[in-house]
Amino acid sequence: MEKTLDLQERVALIKEAILAHEETDPVAIATAVMQTPFVRPLGPEHHFLDGACFLKAFSNAGGNLDIHAALEEMEKRSALMPDAMCAYWGICGANASLGAALSILRHTTPETCSEEYEDNMRFTASLQAKIARLGGPSCCKRNAFLALVAATVFANDRYGVQMETSFPSCPYLDEPTFCIREKCPFYSKNAKE
């Protein structure tokens, strides 16, 4: 019988997979890592994966960042995020993950009084509104793609990096079985070429 991985084991494998990528497109990194057997269609491992892929792409694009320290901090912060945040807390884990990644980049804390603090809050508020407009049910892949595209545009504008961004055609149709299909911007008929 095959052993079921716990969240900590999944995160360790995800971190190892992310570190092997040299792309400057966080969506490309996330898509590749999502196709591994240790990433489930839905699950709290996405709370680490989304922000970590963004941080790695930022680092690969020449962003000033100690990627190993950043991923360690991302792991600590994502461990605080409960499963099914979208349903139980009213905030998507992808949004919280990218908010954590941005705060790691800019070293913001609850005591920070700066434009970066305000920018991060405005970004996550805007992203949460986009996710909310799509409605439920939850899809970790859809919300990750949406969050990563938005965060890349934001970081390129604010932080002097030139990360690439792709707008994927979702390879996970019908996984989960409650896919919103045509309502999703990443559904194959809707995705930008």
Side-chain angles (χ1 to χ4, degrees):
M1 177 180 233
E2 187 175 319
K3 179 186 182 270
T4 302
L5 300 172
D6 67 23
L7 181 58
Q8 190 174 13
E9 292 167 322
R10 290 177 191 281
V11 167
L13 291 167
I14 290 166
K15 187 189 312 182
E16 184 180 323
I18 288 170
L19 285 169
H21 284 271
E22 296 303 322
E23 295 95 328
T24 61
D25 179 351
V27 173
I29 297 170
T31 301
V33 176
M34 287 176 188
Q35 293 173 356
T36 61
F38 44 85
V39 177
R40 297 169 291 186
L42 299 171
E45 61 263 32
H46 291 272
H47 301 165
F48 172 75
L49 186 148
D50 301 349
C53 289
F54 173 81
L55 291 169
K56 180 63 167 136
F58 182 89
S59 176
N60 291 347
N64 184 17
L65 178 69
D66 175 343
I67 190 59
H68 294 284
L71 292 182
E72 288 299 316
E73 185 61 24
M74 188 71 224
E75 184 175 356
K76 289 177 192 171
R77 294 181 189 201
S78 67
L80 301 173
M81 300 177 200
D83 196 4
M85 287 177 61
C86 56
Y88 298 134
W89 285 21
I91 184 167
C92 176
N95 190 17
S97 182
L98 270 295
L102 290 172
S103 73
I104 290 166
L105 281 180
R106 304 312 293 170
H107 308 288
T108 58
T109 71
E111 298 173 355
T112 299
C113 183
S114 69
E115 189 171 326
E116 287 86 3
Y117 180 93
E118 294 171 24
D119 273 353
N120 292 353
M121 294 294 245
R122 280 192 291 269
F123 170 79
T124 56
S126 171
L127 177 56
Q128 191 62 40
K130 289 177 186 176
I131 292 169
R133 279 192 294 274
L134 288 174
S138 175
C139 175
C140 294
K141 311 298 193 211
R142 174 190 71 219
N143 293 346
F145 294 151
L146 193 64
L148 290 168
V149 169
T152 300
V153 171
F154 177 83
N156 285 349
D157 181 54
R158 300 291 194 296
Y159 304 134
V161 294
Q162 285 306 306
M163 291 190 289
E164 296 175 51
T165 189
S166 53
F167 197 92
S169 177
C170 183
Y172 306 101
L173 300 179
D174 300 321
E175 182 193 320
T177 56
F178 47 79
C179 173
I180 62 173
R181 304 181 70 76
E182 287 84 1
K183 287 176 54 181
C184 176
F186 306 104
Y187 183 67
S188 61
K189 294 179 183 176
N190 298 338
K192 298 174 183 176
E193 296 301 322

